[in-house]
């Protein structure tokens, strides 16, 4: 899932940045803004080619710690901008993803179990005059220890592999 792995990488980078900043984090949330360029990200495999994505992910990461500096919770907001999906063997065949790809993440590091909540629209393709043809949206809650999905709601074309229409759009 594009949003899940992008979120994980952005969150990890922000957490490391906060940890290495040298500032006292205890009790006061630390906010880090970010902008990440993600190129060649695999959306799906089609017959004879892959659908890849080049996008910029912009947002912020907010980390809350206890008095000893241990992570308690975190929040992340990210928007996928300038997101182009294309045919890996013929990159000139492309579509603009979006609009409105915005995702919010919540991390509870001390819960039982610790969880990661992903909410929003993390992948979407809208064709003018036709409407939404591909979408990953809604809510997913993961167990951070096992990666197991605890709850899931909303359309899941990306994670469920519903890519036939997307493949046909980018085939030729």
């Amino acid at each position: 899932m594009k949003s899940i792995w992008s979120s994980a990488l952005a969150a990890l980078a922000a957490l490391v940045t906060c940890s290495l900043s040298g500032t006292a984090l205890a009790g006061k949330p630390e906010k880090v803004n970010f902008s990440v360029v993600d190129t060649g990200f695999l959306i799906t495999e089609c017959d004879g080619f892959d659908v890849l994505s080049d996008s910029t992910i912009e947002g912020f990461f907010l980390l809350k710690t206890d008095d000893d500096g241990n992570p308690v919770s975190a929040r992340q907001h990210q928007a996928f901008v300038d997101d182009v999906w294309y045919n890996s063997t013929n990159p000139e065949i492309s579509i603009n993803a979006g609009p409105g790809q915005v995702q919010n993440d919540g991390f509870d590091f001390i819960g039982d179990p610790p969880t990661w909540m992903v909410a929003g629209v993390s992948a979407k393709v809208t064709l003018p005059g036709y409407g939404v043809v591909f979408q990953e949206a809604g809510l997913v809650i993961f167990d951070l220890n096992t990666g197991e999905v605890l709850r899931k709601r909303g359309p899941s074309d990306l994670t469920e592999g519903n890519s036939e229409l997307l493949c046909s759009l980018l085939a030729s």
Side-chain angles (χ1 to χ4, degrees):
M1 173 186 295
K2 177 179 180 145
S3 61
I4 296 300
W5 298 117
S6 297
S7 294
L9 293 175
L12 181 58
L15 185 58
V16 169
T17 300
C18 288
S19 299
L20 297 177
S21 68
T23 60
L25 297 177
K28 183 179 180 199
E30 177 84 13
K31 183 178 180 181
V32 176
N33 294 310
F34 62 85
S35 180
V36 178
V37 175
D38 189 12
T39 59
F41 185 88
L42 177 65
I43 298 294
T44 192
E45 296 175 352
C46 302
D47 188 25
F49 68 96
D50 294 333
V51 176
L52 303 178
S53 165
D54 291 350
S55 66
T56 300
I57 304 166
E58 298 176 346
F60 66 85
F61 184 80
L62 187 66
L63 177 66
K64 174 103 170 104
T65 60
D66 64 17
D67 290 336
D68 294 323
N70 300 310
V72 172
S73 64
R75 299 287 175 254
Q76 179 174 258
H77 171 80
Q78 56 189 344
F80 298 86
V81 295
D82 302 322
D83 194 3
V84 177
W85 295 8
Y86 57 93
N87 179 316
S88 63
T89 60
N90 190 353
E92 293 79 33
I93 302 173
S94 64
I95 53 178
N96 291 322
Q101 295 179 113
V102 176
Q103 177 179 308
N104 292 294
D105 302 282
F107 301 86
D108 176 359
F109 299 118
I110 60 173
D112 185 22
T115 57
W116 175 13
M117 184 251 345
V118 179
V121 179
S122 55
K124 180 173 136 183
V125 173
T126 304
L127 295 180
Y130 191 78
V132 175
V133 296
F134 190 87
Q135 184 169 237
E136 183 79 26
L139 170 76
V140 182
I141 299 175
F142 296 91
D143 180 322
L144 278 174
N145 290 330
T146 65
E148 175 187 2
V149 173
L150 302 175
R151 277 187 213 98
K152 185 172 186 332
R153 293 192 178 118
S156 304
D157 291 334
L158 188 61
T159 55
E160 293 178 6
N162 299 331
S163 56
E164 299 84 19
L165 182 55
L166 185 61
C167 289
S168 67
L169 288 170
L170 293 171
S172 56

